[in-house]
Amino acid sequence: MRIAVVDPGSGNLASVRRAFERAAAEEGIALDLTVTEDAEAVRDADRIVLPGQGAFAACARGLAALPGMTQALNEEVARGKPFLGICVGMQLMAQRGLEHGVTPGLGWIEGEIAPMDPRGDDGAPLPLPQMGWNRLEPASAHPLLAGVAPDAHAYFVHSYALRGGRREELLATASYGGPVVAIVGRDNMAGTQFHVEKSGDVGLRILRNFLRWSPGARQ
């Protein structure tokens, strides 16, 4: 299986590689994973992964600076190739980000990436970034969540989150001063706000599911 991990200039690329290699080994899948800035590698891959960390605007600029990459992503995802966005990579799937000004995203899912304003029960602000392990609360069944326990926790590090998204594109939330979008998905694309590559057995289960995911097939 050929996987292209797109390098927009920021992301836990070594951690992502190691996590996918372990997930593939556990699934008995021969993996050919390439970390790439080359649009043609995306076209040649069977699956696409877009990690990201830091600011939305910086990641968007990094992606736009890769010749032909945005066009390749749009075309290959439109063709039905499985796609996974991780952290800011998930955020880039949205229509726009509001970090350091307004920056267009890929526009694959509804909503915008807006600053969080979490409050405790007493109304006092909670610390930002939201950092640490939070319980996932599934909103709908999805193949990527198969085998994930109801009390599963994942590792988050972020101060911005999706708002204004469509209910049918929301797969899971977490709670941090209110609901926070944790996983989005539609058709052959999905994204995790949390760092799936740093989320232990839960993250590995999601990656294993991604490797076996056949969008459009009967589940």
Side-chain angles (χ1 to χ4, degrees):
M1 179 182 293
R2 295 170 296 176
I3 294 184
V5 176
V6 180
D7 180 8
S10 68
N12 296 307
L13 300 176
S15 296
V16 170
R17 177 188 287 278
R18 287 194 297 270
F20 266 105
E21 288 174 346
R22 180 173 173 184
E26 292 180 357
E27 286 295 302
I29 294 173
L31 184 67
D32 179 4
L33 185 148
T34 301
V35 176
T36 185
E37 300 178 353
D38 183 3
E40 289 308 307
V42 168
R43 297 186 190 280
D44 291 340
D46 301 308
R47 292 163 196 264
I48 306 166
V49 179
L50 177 61
Q53 62 182 10
F56 184 104
C59 285
R61 286 195 301 270
L63 190 64
L66 303 180
M69 183 60 77
T70 299
Q71 180 179 352
L73 287 172
N74 283 325
E75 291 175 356
E76 295 305 303
V77 169
R79 286 179 53 207
K81 191 170 291 185
F83 172 92
L84 178 66
I86 301 174
C87 197
V88 181
M90 174 227 126
Q91 294 183 355
L92 289 171
M93 296 167 66
Q95 293 172 301
R96 57 187 168 271
L98 305 184
E99 191 171 4
H100 306 312
V102 178
T103 304
L106 292 166
W108 296 345
I109 61 171
E110 290 290 330
E112 60 189 10
I113 306 303
M116 299 169 64
D117 184 24
R119 301 279 170 164
D121 293 339
D122 60 357
L126 295 178
L128 287 174
Q130 174 190 357
M131 181 180 296
W133 294 84
N134 293 78
R135 185 169 67 88
L136 299 178
E137 302 173 21
S140 60
H142 191 276
L144 291 190
L145 291 170
V148 175
D151 61 347
H153 284 63
Y155 186 75
F156 291 79
V157 182
H158 65 124
S159 299
Y160 287 71
L162 180 72
R163 73 178 181 193
R166 289 179 177 170
R167 180 175 298 179
E168 59 268 28
E169 294 176 347
L170 175 62
L171 303 183
T173 62
S175 294
Y176 190 70
V180 177
V181 174
I183 309 178
V184 296
R186 178 171 61 80
D187 302 329
N188 54 299
M189 65 186 81
T192 66
Q193 176 60 72
F194 53 91
H195 283 279
V196 67
E197 77 282 5
K198 293 186 175 182
S199 293
D201 290 342
V202 172
L204 282 172
R205 167 52 64 185
I206 292 172
L207 292 182
R208 290 170 63 184
N209 289 341
F210 176 71
L211 292 175
R212 293 293 188 188
W213 185 27
S214 297
R218 294 178 64 88
Q219 304 293 344

